[in-house]
Amino acid sequence: MTEKIITKKEVEYVAKLAKLEFNEEEKEEFTSQLNSILDYFKKLNELDTERVEPTAYVISMPNLLNEDKVKPSLPQDEVLFNSKYVKKGYFKVPKIM
Amino acid sequence: MTLNQLTAHEAVNLIKKKRITAYEIMQDIFNQIDKVDNLIKAFLFINREEALKQAKEIDKKVKNGEKLPPLAGVAVAIKDIIATRGTETTCGSKILKGFIPPYNAMVINKLREAGAIIIGKTNMDEFAMGSSTENSAFGPTYNPWDLERVPGGSSGGSAAAVAADETLVALGTDTGGSIRQPASLCGMVGLKPTYGRISRYGLVAYASSLDQIGPIAKDVTDCALVMKVISGHDNMDSTSVNLEVPDYLKSCQEGIEELKVGVPKEYFIEGIDPEVKAALEKALKIFEKLGARIEEASLPHTEYSLPTYYLIATAEASSNLARYDGVQYGYRAEEYEDLSSMYQKTRSEGFGSEVKRRIMLGTYALSSGYYDAYYLKAQKVRTLIKEDFDKVFSKYDILITPTSPTPAFKLNEKVSDPLTMYLSDIYTIPINLAGIPAISLNCGYSKSNLPIGLQIIGKHFSEETILRAAFNFEQNNEVEKKKPSIKPAKHKGVKK
């Protein structure tokens, strides 16, 4: 392995951003795997892209806009059906404040 | 021969002629599933009662002399990342275990309208992230040609089900090769359509600028048949394109004289299996015999495709998968202190390690200070890769390449090294980055009797051309088509 691109501390920070948590062993493993993948990604730096436009979508299309009209949506019971944590028509989560 | 071995177009014709019933086919399908799926494990859910009921309805229509829709009585297996109303849709993930979609994906509605019968949901790499179907939270799928090997991925369940005659056709999804690579490794035909050709409404998102739904079938005709049904514009998907859907079946009937074929030299890299290379060279001779003109072509940015893909796909995935927080559906951790720890525990317990790895990569690539160096850079290189294809397609009608550098590899062979696993998609990834269509079909077998696939690539919305080229090759291929003999691994080589 070559120089470290991402440190264990950064892995911990990125995990926090991604709302994931890892034990010590996983942190070590991710740090080493991410380093070898990111090292491979450095290949892109061989290319001069100073004057290249980025591509987000490959098929250029104008924005499609639907009419601003109220249409029937799913009934509330169907929307809530997939959660075990429902109260009075709401999704229940732990106390926020 | 049992009826589950038919192709879809053969089945529809025989049903129309009243030679067989849809019910009889369906019975043979479920018999086969009962017989072999304990070895192959292609299915996560089976829709037996409903499917048999629907088959009876088709037979009633035949009896009453009603006009039959194009896929009347055709059994279809659906990759478990496509929403099916009332049937569990898990994406091969613990985090969606038990999730029952309240609506159908557009492709499901279109299949149902065309008379097709959904027989079940197929196994896959979790959230379509993988090339071997080993990343499923519900265990791997095994390749019908050799049960010690992977079927490819991520649509491995769909490809294996078709190869083992457990269904007539299947739907898969392809973000970096996930239809074509398993089709190749299982000896089937798989098509990744042009980005925007098919509505993604109801397809659970992995990398939104790359994902497409497409068919996996036993032959090119079936591929064309299904394509005609599922293509077209949909108001519910703003990236679906409003273009007329051609008669793909009809376009197959024309020849390929004077078709200009490019063979990109960058695809014959170190690491390509000599048997794959030999099979491709043999196939090219057949194209030549059919009147196609073959020349060496060049796609100079090929070697940058893999890092470009993994930066774009993981960045988009990290954003798309933020929705799995345990609030509205799916898994929620049992123990947590507050909202934030509920999110963290739910996601950490619910996602598998490859999904976490990709979320981490994507989050890092999009994070403050690294966005320009990684994500923006990758989007710029994506432009260069797309321009490579624009250039070759000003000169050639199609490109022909291998689909995968090797035939099916063994289970556990690549799981511990993510980079090696990523390399198995080296020939399929650039196509998704450019948004163009490509089809994989069988061109031969290795000495150890494993299927080898070739890939035909076309310009945007040229599905007609690649299907025509594939059909002409299929009809004239000198290698005789085989069926896998599904044998339990421990009995292999032992004479009875």
Side-chain angles (χ1 to χ4, degrees):
Chain A
M1 259 298 305
T2 47
E3 53 164 321
K4 269 206 167 172
I5 302 167
I6 183 168
T7 60
K8 198 171 114 191
K9 222 173 153 187
E10 280 178 297
V11 166
E12 285 166 355
Y13 171 68
V14 175
K16 216 171 125 191
L17 290 178
K19 293 268 180 261
L20 291 169
E21 57 183 21
F22 300 109
N23 61 32
E24 277 309 305
E25 199 187 319
E26 288 173 318
K27 277 182 209 166
E28 296 288 347
E29 199 189 334
F30 268 111
T31 308
S32 125
Q33 283 177 341
L34 293 181
N35 266 305
S36 66
I37 296 169
L38 290 169
D39 183 57
Y40 175 63
F41 287 180
K42 277 202 305 204
K43 193 170 176 50
L44 296 184
N45 297 333
E46 293 169 8
L47 293 170
D48 177 7
T49 50
E50 190 64 40
R51 287 190 189 86
V52 181
E53 287 291 319
T55 295
Y57 274 91
V58 275
I59 310 285
S60 55
M61 273 197 305
N63 253 338
L64 291 173
L65 301 171
N66 285 332
E67 241 182 293
D68 188 14
K69 248 163 100 183
V70 180
K71 285 187 215 158
S73 53
L74 288 170
Q76 194 184 35
D77 58 332
E78 284 193 28
V79 174
L80 296 170
F81 174 80
N82 275 293
S83 177
K84 281 192 280 183
Y85 310 90
V86 171
K87 199 176 174 184
K88 292 181 182 167
Y90 292 95
F91 294 110
K92 211 175 134 195
V93 293
K95 218 167 139 185
I96 294 169
M97 294 183 58
Chain B
M1 183 184 154
T2 47
L3 301 177
N4 55 306
Q5 291 176 304
L6 293 170
T7 61
H9 60 95
E10 287 167 348
V12 173
N13 282 335
L14 291 168
I15 292 172
K16 276 187 184 163
K17 287 181 187 152
K18 301 185 183 179
R19 298 261 300 276
I20 55 172
T21 64
Y23 191 78
E24 287 169 328
I25 305 178
M26 211 45 86
Q27 277 180 317
D28 280 358
I29 295 262
F30 288 117
N31 281 341
Q32 179 72 352
I33 292 176
D34 290 340
K35 207 170 109 193
V36 303
D37 208 56
N38 61 330
L39 297 171
I40 293 170
K41 302 198 188 298
F43 284 90
L44 293 176
F45 305 98
I46 290 163
N47 209 7
R48 191 185 305 247
E49 272 170 43
E50 185 59 29
L52 288 166
K53 205 178 98 197
Q54 287 171 13
K56 275 188 180 161
E57 282 164 21
I58 295 284
D59 290 332
K60 213 192 267 169
K61 280 189 184 169
V62 179
K63 217 174 155 194
N64 296 340
E66 286 177 48
K67 195 173 181 285
L68 291 180
L71 293 176
V74 171
V76 187
I78 306 291
K79 185 178 185 182
D80 204 29
I81 196 167
I82 298 172
T84 42
R85 185 183 159 87
T87 303
E88 197 174 346
T89 298
T90 66
C91 296
S93 181
K94 186 182 167 189
I95 213 160
L96 275 177
K97 178 111 187 68
F99 171 65
I100 298 182
Y103 63 91
N104 272 333
M106 185 51 71
V107 288
I108 300 295
N109 287 336
K110 288 194 172 204
L111 285 172
R112 293 288 300 122
E113 277 161 32
I117 299 172
I118 312 299
I119 60 161
K121 305 295 291 284
T122 55
N123 198 15
M124 53 183 284
D125 285 299
E126 185 177 1
F127 287 105
M129 299 179 186
S131 315
S132 69
T133 316
E134 288 167 291
N135 293 336
S136 167
F138 309 111
T141 294
Y142 301 86
N143 192 317
W145 293 87
D146 178 348
L147 297 170
E148 287 180 1
R149 290 174 191 271
V150 302
S154 64
S155 314
S158 286
V162 179
D165 289 318
E166 294 178 89
T167 182
L168 300 190
V169 291
L171 289 191
T173 63
D174 193 315
T175 305
S178 284
I179 287 173
R180 292 158 287 155
Q181 185 255 19
S184 171
L185 269 44
C186 289
M188 296 295 113
V189 184
L191 192 146
K192 199 278 308 176
T194 309
Y195 186 82
R197 179 74 282 186
I198 292 172
S199 167
R200 289 183 295 118
Y201 177 68
L203 162 64
V204 179
Y206 158 24
S208 310
S209 79
L210 304 161
D211 298 340
Q212 267 291 286
I213 299 172
I216 297 178
K218 295 175 192 176
D219 69 6
V220 177
T221 307
D222 278 6
C223 228
L225 190 65
V226 175
M227 272 302 290
K228 203 180 160 206
V229 169
I230 62 175
S231 297
H233 178 247
D234 172 15
N235 275 331
M236 302 298 277
D237 174 3
S238 65
T239 61
S240 86
V241 174
N242 203 348
L243 271 180
E244 210 182 309
V245 179
D247 188 344
Y248 295 120
L249 278 170
K250 215 172 128 194
S251 38
C252 285
Q253 299 306 319
E254 291 157 38
I256 55 165
E257 300 84 18
E258 302 299 306
L259 195 76
K260 285 174 272 172
V261 179
V263 180
K265 62 177 181 203
E266 291 84 0
Y267 281 50
F268 294 85
I269 42 147
E270 216 180 301
I272 180 169
D273 185 293
E275 288 194 280
V276 171
K277 193 167 173 240
L280 195 87
E281 279 162 1
K282 216 171 144 193
L284 287 171
K285 291 220 173 76
I286 291 169
F287 278 98
E288 216 157 25
K289 242 193 227 172
L290 295 171
R293 282 185 298 172
I294 294 163
E295 268 177 44
E296 186 180 89
S298 176
L299 297 164
H301 294 93
T302 299
E303 59 179 317
Y304 302 102
S305 299
L306 211 58
T308 304
Y309 170 83
Y310 276 97
L311 280 165
I312 289 171
T314 58
E316 292 181 8
S318 74
S319 162
N320 277 327
L321 271 62
R323 71 190 67 172
Y324 303 103
D325 55 7
V327 176
Q328 297 173 35
Y329 42 75
Y331 179 77
R332 185 188 287 193
E334 303 267 323
E335 282 171 41
Y336 43 81
E337 293 102 53
D338 52 14
L339 188 68
S340 184
S341 92
M342 182 194 92
Y343 293 154
Q344 269 182 10
K345 294 221 176 335
T346 294
R347 290 165 61 80
S348 302
E349 292 166 21
F351 290 135
S353 65
E354 181 62 25
V355 173
K356 288 183 200 166
R357 190 156 38 240
R358 293 197 195 188
I359 292 175
M360 289 290 287
L361 258 176
T363 307
Y364 178 70
L366 290 175
S367 67
S368 171
Y370 297 106
Y371 181 90
D372 283 8
Y374 289 110
Y375 187 63
L376 191 66
K377 180 83 187 181
Q379 284 195 315
K380 287 180 167 188
V381 181
R382 185 175 186 179
T383 305
L384 298 175
I385 292 165
K386 187 175 168 279
E387 284 171 357
D388 275 0
F389 282 103
D390 292 344
K391 268 178 220 151
V392 291
F393 283 127
S394 67
K395 218 169 148 194
Y396 304 104
D397 300 307
I398 57 168
L399 301 175
I400 296 180
T401 75
T403 308
S404 171
T406 66
F409 45 92
K410 291 203 162 153
L411 275 106
N412 296 319
E413 197 179 310
K414 298 184 180 183
V415 272
S416 59
D417 184 358
L419 262 181
T420 329
M421 185 71 95
Y422 296 172
L423 280 165
S424 61
D425 295 326
I426 191 105
Y427 301 141
T428 48
I429 273 174
I431 283 72
N432 300 72
L433 289 170
I436 50 183
I439 188 168
S440 172
L441 76 161
N442 185 260
C443 65
Y445 303 89
S446 73
K447 283 191 196 93
S448 45
N449 202 36
L450 295 170
I452 296 170
L454 76 79
Q455 174 174 242
I456 303 173
I457 309 163
K459 56 187 106 172
H460 288 131
F461 301 104
S462 73
E463 281 83 356
E464 283 176 286
T465 314
I466 59 171
L467 281 162
R468 172 161 62 100
F471 181 79
N472 276 274
F473 173 76
E474 181 184 63
Q475 299 302 308
N476 294 285
N477 189 9
E478 284 153 14
V479 181
E480 205 184 323
K481 228 178 183 170
K482 298 184 197 175
K483 290 252 184 209
S485 60
I486 304 150
K487 278 182 289 193
K490 55 184 174 189
H491 297 312
K492 222 173 36 173
V494 180
K495 275 186 193 164
K496 276 191 179 168

